[in-house]
Amino acid sequence: MINYNPKEWFTFIFRVHKSDTVRQLMPMIISLSIYVALVAFLEIQVFNLGENSHLKNITILHGMLGFVISLLLVFRTNTAYERWWEGRKLWGSLTNTSRNLAMKINAVLPKDDELNRTFFKEHIVEYAFALKRHLRGHQRESEVFQSNVIIDHELHKPNHIAALMYTRLNDLYNQKIISGTQLLFLNEEFRAFTDICGACERIKNTPIPFSYSVFIKKFIFFYVMSLPFGYVFSLGYIAVPIVVFVFYVLASLEIIAEEIENPFGVDDNDLPLTMMSKNIQKHVGEIL
């Protein structure tokens, strides 16, 4: 995720960073510029179409379709941002749940029980890192506790770690180290782990419907490709930068929506899951 100062207007305007849509769209911008210039040349120089041509009336259609495409893109970007923001809220809940569980474990365990304290400290932290790797689709050995947290690579890693903590908690109850009331007291946080994991998986595994995404792309393409036929009559060769700018705005909105609709990836605008996992590691370590 990019950290920035939202008050620096001129920095945003004149700096091109690697996540800027200009970089991604540059080949299409160049191709579109050539296309619009060719259409302008044919209409003005070759066919010598004047103001009496019916093609000039196509701008009326563009005005109506522009309103429709604007509504579609507003809905598209709002839906993508809602998914991004929900993902951020879920990881905020994971941070709070990890803190609360660590504080409760710290309260119910005997002060001299270093073995169980270390177990829960490592596994609470490892749950966050395992969920991060699970959502990004790449699992490997623990990034934090290489020798202590042993996970079967064939298993669902977050569920496996939660199950290990559940088992240890039940063992503490059977050994009379914690009471039944304390067991219920701790259960809420363990349940929250699984709820958060399931909600994150729902966001990741449920993309925008294919037909909807394809329709928007086709709509933008045909809308932009038809623009020069009408605007060349009133703008001449100035239609080249105008049409390119319209395409840049429309296509950029679609690209931004595609990038943020899965907030758990590694794109520049995705959530900083590694940083949030390290914050959990720091806070749980301080408590336990």
Side-chain angles (χ1 to χ4, degrees):
M1 185 175 179
I2 300 174
N3 294 318
Y4 65 96
N5 182 358
K7 297 180 180 180
E8 295 180 355
W9 277 63
F10 289 101
T11 301
F12 293 150
I13 295 172
F14 297 107
R15 186 183 69 179
V16 179
H17 50 81
K18 65 179 183 179
S19 67
D20 201 314
T21 53
V22 172
R23 292 176 179 268
Q24 301 179 54
L25 294 173
M26 187 55 66
M28 298 185 68
I29 287 175
I30 294 173
S31 301
L32 183 61
S33 300
I34 296 172
Y35 166 76
V36 178
L38 178 61
V39 171
F41 174 77
L42 292 175
E43 288 190 3
I44 298 173
Q45 304 295 335
V46 178
F47 297 108
N48 194 25
L49 298 177
E51 287 294 326
N52 295 325
S53 174
H54 293 294
L55 281 176
K56 68 176 183 178
N57 296 322
I58 198 173
T59 55
I60 300 175
L61 176 63
H62 289 143
M64 293 185 294
L65 291 180
F67 175 73
V68 175
I69 201 170
S70 298
L71 292 178
L72 287 172
L73 287 173
V74 166
F75 175 77
R76 177 78 170 96
T77 52
N78 285 348
T79 302
Y81 181 76
E82 285 175 5
R83 292 162 61 90
W84 185 92
W85 182 239
E86 184 181 0
R88 179 61 186 89
K89 290 192 294 183
L90 288 169
W91 270 79
S93 297
L94 179 63
T95 301
N96 292 336
T97 299
S98 300
R99 292 170 180 165
N100 289 332
L101 180 58
M103 287 187 283
K104 290 180 179 181
I105 291 291
N106 181 60
V108 302
L109 287 180
K111 297 299 182 183
D112 58 350
D113 191 354
E114 289 297 327
L115 179 63
N116 285 313
R117 287 175 177 273
T118 300
F119 173 87
F120 283 107
K121 178 179 70 174
E122 293 179 348
H123 283 72
I124 291 171
V125 171
E126 183 56 31
Y127 186 90
F129 281 95
L131 180 58
K132 179 203 73 170
R133 297 191 301 269
H134 174 68
L135 294 173
R136 289 181 174 176
H138 55 84
Q139 287 289 359
R140 55 180 183 273
E141 296 292 339
S142 167
E143 300 167 65
V144 190
F145 308 108
Q146 292 290 340
S147 60
N148 296 328
V149 180
I150 301 174
I151 305 173
D152 188 338
H153 287 277
E154 299 300 322
L155 299 177
H156 185 289
K157 309 303 186 298
N159 282 353
H160 183 57
I161 295 173
L164 291 175
M165 290 192 286
Y166 261 117
T167 301
R168 178 60 67 94
L169 189 65
N170 190 63
D171 291 342
L172 292 175
Y173 171 71
N174 292 332
Q175 296 167 13
K176 307 300 183 183
I177 297 176
I178 63 174
S179 66
T181 302
Q182 290 172 329
L183 181 66
L184 295 175
F185 177 64
L186 292 166
N187 181 68
E188 185 65 23
E189 270 62 45
F190 283 108
R191 184 186 63 80
F193 277 145
T194 304
D195 290 344
I196 292 169
C197 177
C200 290
E201 288 175 333
R202 170 175 52 80
I203 294 174
K204 181 195 174 198
N205 298 327
T206 311
I208 298 296
F210 175 76
S211 58
Y212 183 78
S213 180
V214 169
F215 174 75
I216 290 180
K217 289 180 174 61
K218 289 182 177 180
F219 197 168
I220 292 174
F221 175 79
F222 288 111
Y223 178 77
V224 171
M225 295 299 283
S226 63
L227 280 177
F229 290 102
Y231 284 96
V232 164
F233 292 106
S234 57
L235 299 175
Y237 287 101
I238 300 178
V240 176
I242 298 298
V243 173
V244 167
F245 179 73
V246 171
F247 167 75
Y248 167 72
V249 172
L250 298 178
S252 294
L253 288 173
E254 174 63 14
I255 289 175
I256 292 169
E258 288 176 349
E259 183 174 344
I260 67 175
E261 70 180 3
N262 177 17
F264 308 121
V266 293
D267 294 326
D268 290 330
N269 290 311
D270 288 334
L271 296 174
L273 302 187
T274 299
M275 183 189 73
M276 287 188 278
S277 298
K278 290 181 178 179
N279 284 338
I280 292 174
Q281 179 184 11
K282 175 185 175 183
H283 300 153
V284 172
E286 291 172 350
I287 296 168
L288 291 172

